Amino acid sequence: MNQLPKRLLQNPSGFPDLGPKEAIAQQRMLDVIRRQFISAGYVPIETPLVERPEVLLAKAGGEISTQMYGLRRLNVSADATDDTKELALRFDHTVPLARFIAANQRELAFPFRRFAIGPVFRGERPKSGRYRQFIQADIDAIGDGDLSPLHDAEMVAVIHGIFSELKIGPFTVRIGNRKVLQAILKDTGLSDDQLGDALRSIDELEKVGADTVITELKGLGLDAKDAKALIELLTDKGDSDAVLKALKARDLGPGYSEGVAELETVVNAVRDLGVPDNRFRIDLSIARGLDYYTGTVYETRLDEHPDLGSIASGGRYDDLASVYVNKQLPGVGISIGVTRLLLRLINAGLWPASESAIAEVLVTTDLGAKAFGNVYLKQAAALRAAGYPTEVYLNEKPLAKQLLYASRRGFKFAVITRNEDIKNGTVIVRNLKDSSQHETTSAQLVETIEKLRKTS
Amino acid sequence: MNQLPKRLLQNPSGFPDLGPKEAIAQQRMLDVIRRQFISAGYVPIETPLVERPEVLLAKAGGEISTQMYGLRRLNVSADATDDTKELALRFDHTVPLARFIAANQRELAFPFRRFAIGPVFRGERPKSGRYRQFIQADIDAIGDGDLSPLHDAEMVAVIHGIFSELKIGPFTVRIGNRKVLQAILKDTGLSDDQLGDALRSIDELEKVGADTVITELKGLGLDAKDAKALIELLTDKGDSDAVLKALKARDLGPGYSEGVAELETVVNAVRDLGVPDNRFRIDLSIARGLDYYTGTVYETRLDEHPDLGSIASGGRYDDLASVYVNKQLPGVGISIGVTRLLLRLINAGLWPASESAIAEVLVTTDLGAKAFGNVYLKQAAALRAAGYPTEVYLNEKPLAKQLLYASRRGFKFAVITRNEDIKNGTVIVRNLKDSSQHETTSAQLVETIEKLRKTS
């Protein structure tokens, strides 16, 4: 038979292939994220991976439209027409949310608080850490007409819950406000036209450094002193109360005051929600999504791994779906790029991906599964029924090889039944961590494993 | 602004949109399936949704190739070439498994036992109960060279575990064997050419009835008596031991004996794995996937809802990946079409999809979240920290409306703090099922909910 050339067996570039170790590691991460979303009272919706091109393009044109994948028929059968012109892959969770709300607004209770965890597709040029298919985990709260800024605070609490439970080291959620940033920039005398350039420049602050940004701001007409003062103000790392006090001492018009009041509300509510002060701070330099965010904005960084960039970002927007529906739907959301985060954390040794078994127990088959299947299968059935995921080794191999397999795969216990055990009615449980062996009986097998799990 | 016409807001035909109720219901089902896969020692892999067309077409041509979706660029930017010719959407989990094993055979330990739960795509004409995107949940065990038939038995135990835990009524896993079926058919005098037609006819037995199949078999040259005897033999609903005994009494050549021995091994091992006799039976009429399955085959039906057809099917195949790799990789697998099953069960009232909240507790905000956010948010934080998913009602609405919202969404408890409660340091927990109210203190809130959960 003609076999495919080997290069075709690799996953297509930008579409990651996760083997058991990475898939188990990813599932552990997704479980934490989901649990925290649910803990805060968010509910899932499951929109399809496929949307109509008109829907995708109505919300996002420009650069991102060149990254969108449409569908086509691979083979068109003689009697069928290609009906795929109206099908394309989603590139985020926000556009499907907007479309879903527009289509179902009458049945939904607002504020509508939903989470979505699943793959999205972007035909970017694949480079280190960029994927064409990747899992995004989003929560958004959408109001009908208005939406309390306390929702903005809940986002911070959810992010805090997730990264605390993930235990990947200290992190800081940075909270900014676009109204405040915009008013401060305008106050320097920049024209409306220049604001966009200034925002883009400031958004790169962390990456390029203060000096470069100051030079760019000077290019926009600010004098050196003002540019420097601006950067100092925007990067004030004082505690939140001090920053708020300084902000409140200034008067830069109603938009500014509104933004500062929002910031204060969010900071207080974040504390009420139990987030400690060392896990968040005000960072006015966050710009993000120039045309999109209108109030609170967030970024999240690992304190000891700033190179990973922001690992959870988002913000407040005024208008989710006016291209779809005649309604003002303000929202606030936050998004975690799970695939990128996962694979970078695994590479950095910050997220374990060393076990290729989820089950803790391997029932070995020293006497051969063919002849003694009934013994081994019954042991496995008892362990599974008691809530212990269990694999039975069904290949005919010497016990030593089976134990090696157990250690390599990451099992914690091996159940061993030898010839003399059959005679004596005994069973051995081997703790694979310390190689200790514990004799017990078939009837006591579950109990023995239970005890060993507690003490080891 | 130009809004999109309403019809474009609907999800594309065949690509289901699950709102919170259905998405919650689906997640509950997927959690059970995943837990049972893990319980039996299976591990996940996560291959991309996108594969190369050559890979998909090498394993599956013919009719299915006209159902495959390729990708294309929606907009090609001026400086980019369309690189999507090598990208297409997977239509099952088996082809990606074969490709993954071929690409990673050196790193994998055999038998390789993996599960995969996720969407697949088929451009079928959408009709009732058929979807173009649907979730499949698969397990497969793949051997290198050989694979014990005990794996075939484990599939039955896993299916038994899943449908027992789902509690959707009594069900029966039917176990057949292609070697046995083929030998019996050949024994009637059918030629090799006619075998395929006979198998296709028998595969429809349940749908079209015995009389139609007998007529078709007569058309192939069997005389009426033989055709009737054949159907009686194939549909013997006796207990497994009696059927096995009858089968063993005949001698139809080595293939037949091998098949009968496999059946016997599987039946015994299924019992050893704790599956009760009323949950499985031998059904020799199962044909399935004519060119594909080579030994054990399965179907599963709900005893009281035969109209749903088979809800978990699969079987043993000799050769997973010879189009990709120079190796004999026999396997056995089973697949659940989750989306179809879920939506049919919901329609039939067999799977609840009435709650649009996962959280059990709603913290109401009688005094307004704006003014008393700190009280309400702290209550929510305490409940969440104690492991109770909790939503805070952050809209400013009268308490009666908030309680109505709580009941409609399916919350179990509402936490109420009125003006006098603030003064007295009290809190009310309302059980939304029986409308009973329980006064407690802020400090005792978690404990009170805990108690009420146990007694209600």
Side-chain angles (χ1 to χ4, degrees):
Chain A
M1 191 177 296
N2 273 337
Q3 275 168 20
L4 287 183
K6 263 193 186 155
R7 62 173 179 84
L8 292 182
L9 299 179
Q10 287 310 315
N11 47 317
S13 171
F15 295 90
D17 229 3
L18 306 190
K21 288 177 185 175
E22 293 82 11
I24 291 169
Q26 173 174 282
Q27 194 58 60
R28 282 195 359 259
M29 184 174 283
L30 292 176
D31 285 346
V32 170
I33 293 171
R34 180 153 68 104
R35 188 159 49 238
Q36 291 290 338
F37 286 172
I38 288 172
S39 172
Y42 284 77
V43 297
I45 66 172
E46 281 282 340
T47 63
L49 291 134
V50 169
E51 295 280 352
R52 296 175 203 275
E54 299 95 323
V55 167
L56 300 180
L57 291 167
K59 276 274 291 186
E63 196 193 358
I64 208 162
S65 78
T66 65
Q67 300 178 354
M68 290 182 202
Y69 289 118
L71 300 193
R72 62 186 171 91
R73 291 273 176 182
L74 214 51
N75 283 337
V76 182
S77 69
D79 62 336
T81 48
D82 187 349
D83 52 354
T84 53
K85 283 200 183 58
E86 44 187 61
L87 303 176
L89 294 175
R90 69 183 180 196
F91 63 88
D92 72 0
H93 291 311
T94 311
V95 170
L97 170 65
R99 198 261 312 147
F100 179 85
I101 289 183
N104 299 283
Q105 43 170 319
R106 283 190 198 163
E107 292 90 61
L108 298 175
F110 291 93
F112 182 58
R113 306 152 93 248
R114 83 86 181 81
F115 70 83
I117 302 175
V120 301
F121 300 85
R122 290 188 196 174
E124 294 190 79
R125 214 169 285 260
K127 51 184 177 185
S128 167
R130 292 278 167 200
Y131 299 97
R132 292 175 158 193
Q133 174 190 320
F134 54 96
I135 292 179
Q136 269 197 339
D138 284 27
I139 42 171
D140 289 85
I142 309 296
D144 181 1
D146 65 352
L147 183 74
S148 161
L150 296 178
H151 288 284
D152 304 28
E154 278 214 322
M155 297 283 148
V156 178
V158 172
I159 290 301
H160 174 255
I162 290 170
F163 289 103
S164 298
E165 193 179 342
L166 287 178
K167 292 193 183 66
I168 49 176
F171 61 90
T172 306
V173 185
R174 303 183 189 185
I175 308 169
N177 189 294
R178 282 293 300 275
K179 289 172 192 158
V180 175
L181 175 58
Q182 216 137 346
I184 288 172
L185 286 179
K186 271 205 157 169
D187 185 52
T188 61
L190 289 171
S191 71
D192 281 354
D193 283 356
Q194 293 171 320
L195 269 184
D197 289 336
L199 281 170
R200 255 181 294 274
S201 185
I202 288 163
D203 212 26
E204 299 281 294
L205 190 57
E206 207 105 355
K207 217 186 279 174
V208 300
D211 290 347
T212 307
V213 176
I214 288 171
T215 307
E216 286 174 7
L217 290 173
K218 283 196 289 188
L220 292 172
L222 292 198
D223 70 34
K225 215 185 83 204
D226 286 355
K228 217 179 146 205
L230 175 65
I231 297 304
E232 264 166 24
L233 175 65
L234 295 182
T235 56
D236 184 344
K237 291 185 181 172
D239 76 83
S240 304
D241 294 324
V243 174
L244 280 170
K245 201 177 160 196
L247 289 173
K248 280 158 83 174
R250 305 179 66 177
D251 179 7
L252 302 178
Y256 175 82
S257 304
E258 209 180 297
V260 173
E262 284 169 11
L263 257 183
E264 188 172 24
T265 301
V266 171
V267 164
N268 287 334
V270 163
R271 284 178 178 142
D272 289 336
L273 285 164
V275 180
D277 268 59
N278 63 346
R279 287 288 166 263
F280 72 93
R281 70 174 173 85
I282 294 174
D283 179 349
L284 294 174
S285 73
I286 302 172
R288 297 201 73 79
L290 300 184
D291 306 322
Y292 193 58
Y293 294 118
T294 51
T296 309
V297 281
Y298 319 90
E299 290 190 349
T300 312
R301 279 161 211 264
L302 294 181
D303 298 351
E304 291 163 6
H305 298 273
D307 50 303
L308 294 186
S310 178
I311 56 179
S313 314
R316 159 74 72 143
Y317 41 91
D318 275 345
D319 170 26
L320 176 72
S322 68
V323 292
Y324 304 136
V325 74
N326 205 355
K327 228 177 191 176
Q328 176 81 359
L329 298 169
V332 60
I334 208 155
S335 179
I336 302 175
V338 176
T339 302
R340 184 163 187 241
L341 175 64
L342 172 82
L343 296 176
R344 295 190 77 166
L345 288 177
I346 289 176
N347 275 342
L350 294 170
W351 190 252
S354 55
E355 287 168 16
S356 59
I358 304 177
E360 291 184 5
V361 186
L362 180 74
V363 173
T364 62
T365 52
D366 187 31
L367 300 168
K370 212 177 249 170
F372 287 88
N374 64 325
V375 172
Y376 302 126
L377 295 178
K378 281 179 180 170
Q379 291 171 347
L383 285 161
R384 289 169 187 167
Y388 299 111
T390 299
E391 177 177 333
V392 194
Y393 194 90
L394 294 175
N395 251 7
E396 310 271 330
K397 286 273 164 73
L399 182 61
K401 283 217 166 169
Q402 297 187 33
L403 292 174
L404 194 65
Y405 167 91
S407 301
R408 280 204 187 141
R409 289 277 311 278
F411 287 94
K412 292 189 177 57
F413 303 104
V415 176
I416 302 171
T417 311
R418 303 152 307 168
N419 223 336
E420 58 264 45
D421 293 314
I422 296 274
K423 274 181 230 149
N424 304 337
T426 51
V427 186
I428 311 286
V429 178
R430 184 184 174 93
N431 183 334
L432 294 163
K433 252 192 218 154
D434 60 12
S435 301
S436 62
Q437 301 208 143
H438 309 265
E439 191 176 291
T440 181
T441 63
S442 283
Q444 297 284 310
L445 175 58
V446 169
E447 218 170 289
T448 305
I449 298 256
E450 210 159 312
K451 263 189 217 150
L452 287 171
R453 282 183 90 239
K454 274 182 198 148
T455 57
S456 70
Chain B
M1 194 178 294
N2 274 337
Q3 276 168 20
L4 287 183
K6 262 192 187 156
R7 61 173 178 83
L8 292 181
L9 298 180
Q10 287 309 316
N11 46 316
S13 171
F15 295 90
D17 230 2
L18 307 190
K21 287 178 185 174
E22 293 82 12
I24 291 169
Q26 172 174 282
Q27 193 59 60
R28 280 196 358 260
M29 184 174 283
L30 292 176
D31 285 347
V32 170
I33 294 171
R34 180 153 67 104
R35 188 160 48 239
Q36 292 290 338
F37 286 172
I38 288 172
S39 172
Y42 285 76
V43 297
I45 66 170
E46 281 282 340
T47 64
L49 291 135
V50 169
E51 295 280 352
R52 296 176 204 274
E54 298 95 323
V55 167
L56 300 181
L57 292 166
K59 277 274 290 184
E63 195 194 357
I64 208 162
S65 77
T66 65
Q67 300 178 354
M68 290 183 202
Y69 290 118
L71 300 193
R72 63 186 170 91
R73 290 274 176 181
L74 215 51
N75 283 338
V76 183
S77 68
D79 62 336
T81 49
D82 186 349
D83 52 354
T84 53
K85 283 200 184 55
E86 45 187 59
L87 303 176
L89 294 176
R90 69 183 181 197
F91 63 88
D92 73 0
H93 292 309
T94 311
V95 171
L97 170 65
R99 198 261 312 145
F100 179 84
I101 289 182
N104 299 283
Q105 42 171 319
R106 284 192 196 160
E107 292 92 59
L108 298 176
F110 291 92
F112 182 58
R113 306 153 91 248
R114 81 88 181 80
F115 70 83
I117 302 174
V120 301
F121 300 85
R122 289 186 198 175
E124 294 189 79
R125 216 170 285 260
K127 51 184 176 185
S128 167
R130 291 277 168 200
Y131 299 97
R132 294 176 155 191
Q133 174 190 319
F134 53 96
I135 292 179
Q136 269 197 340
D138 283 28
I139 43 172
D140 288 86
I142 309 296
D144 182 0
D146 66 351
L147 183 75
S148 161
L150 297 178
H151 288 284
D152 304 29
E154 278 215 323
M155 297 283 149
V156 179
V158 172
I159 291 301
H160 174 255
I162 289 170
F163 290 103
S164 298
E165 194 180 340
L166 288 178
K167 293 193 181 66
I168 49 176
F171 60 91
T172 305
V173 186
R174 303 183 189 186
I175 308 170
N177 189 293
R178 282 293 301 274
K179 290 171 191 159
V180 176
L181 175 59
Q182 216 138 344
I184 289 173
L185 286 179
K186 271 204 155 166
D187 185 53
T188 61
L190 288 172
S191 71
D192 282 355
D193 282 356
Q194 294 172 317
L195 270 184
D197 289 336
L199 281 169
R200 253 181 295 273
S201 185
I202 288 164
D203 211 26
E204 299 282 294
L205 189 57
E206 206 104 358
K207 218 184 279 173
V208 301
D211 289 348
T212 307
V213 176
I214 288 170
T215 308
E216 288 174 6
L217 290 172
K218 284 196 287 185
L220 292 171
L222 292 198
D223 70 34
K225 215 185 83 205
D226 287 355
K228 217 180 147 203
L230 175 64
I231 297 303
E232 263 164 25
L233 175 66
L234 296 182
T235 56
D236 185 344
K237 292 185 181 172
D239 76 83
S240 305
D241 294 323
V243 174
L244 279 170
K245 202 178 161 198
L247 290 173
K248 281 158 83 174
R250 305 181 67 177
D251 178 6
L252 302 178
Y256 175 81
S257 305
E258 208 180 298
V260 173
E262 285 168 10
L263 257 183
E264 188 172 24
T265 302
V266 171
V267 165
N268 287 333
V270 164
R271 284 178 178 141
D272 289 335
L273 285 164
V275 180
D277 267 58
N278 63 346
R279 286 288 165 263
F280 71 94
R281 70 174 174 86
I282 293 175
D283 179 349
L284 294 173
S285 73
I286 303 172
R288 299 202 71 79
L290 301 184
D291 306 323
Y292 193 58
Y293 294 118
T294 51
T296 310
V297 280
Y298 319 91
E299 290 190 350
T300 312
R301 278 161 212 264
L302 294 182
D303 298 352
E304 292 163 6
H305 298 272
D307 50 301
L308 294 186
S310 178
I311 55 178
S313 314
R316 158 77 70 146
Y317 41 90
D318 275 345
D319 171 25
L320 176 72
S322 69
V323 293
Y324 303 136
V325 74
N326 206 355
K327 230 178 191 176
Q328 177 83 357
L329 298 169
V332 60
I334 208 155
S335 178
I336 302 174
V338 176
T339 302
R340 185 161 186 243
L341 176 64
L342 173 82
L343 296 176
R344 295 190 76 165
L345 289 177
I346 290 176
N347 274 342
L350 294 171
W351 190 252
S354 55
E355 286 168 14
S356 59
I358 304 177
E360 292 184 4
V361 187
L362 180 74
V363 172
T364 62
T365 51
D366 186 31
L367 300 168
K370 210 176 247 170
F372 288 88
N374 64 325
V375 172
Y376 302 126
L377 296 177
K378 280 179 180 169
Q379 291 172 347
L383 285 161
R384 290 170 186 166
Y388 299 111
T390 300
E391 178 178 332
V392 195
Y393 193 90
L394 294 176
N395 250 8
E396 311 271 330
K397 287 272 164 74
L399 182 61
K401 285 219 163 166
Q402 298 187 32
L403 292 174
L404 194 65
Y405 166 91
S407 301
R408 280 204 187 138
R409 290 276 312 278
F411 287 93
K412 292 189 177 56
F413 303 103
V415 176
I416 302 170
T417 311
R418 302 153 307 168
N419 222 336
E420 58 263 44
D421 293 315
I422 296 275
K423 273 181 230 149
N424 304 337
T426 51
V427 186
I428 312 286
V429 178
R430 184 184 175 93
N431 184 334
L432 294 162
K433 253 192 218 154
D434 61 11
S435 302
S436 62
Q437 301 209 143
H438 308 265
E439 191 176 291
T440 182
T441 63
S442 283
Q444 298 284 309
L445 175 59
V446 168
E447 219 170 287
T448 305
I449 297 255
E450 211 158 311
K451 264 190 218 151
L452 286 171
R453 282 185 90 237
K454 274 181 200 151
T455 57
S456 71

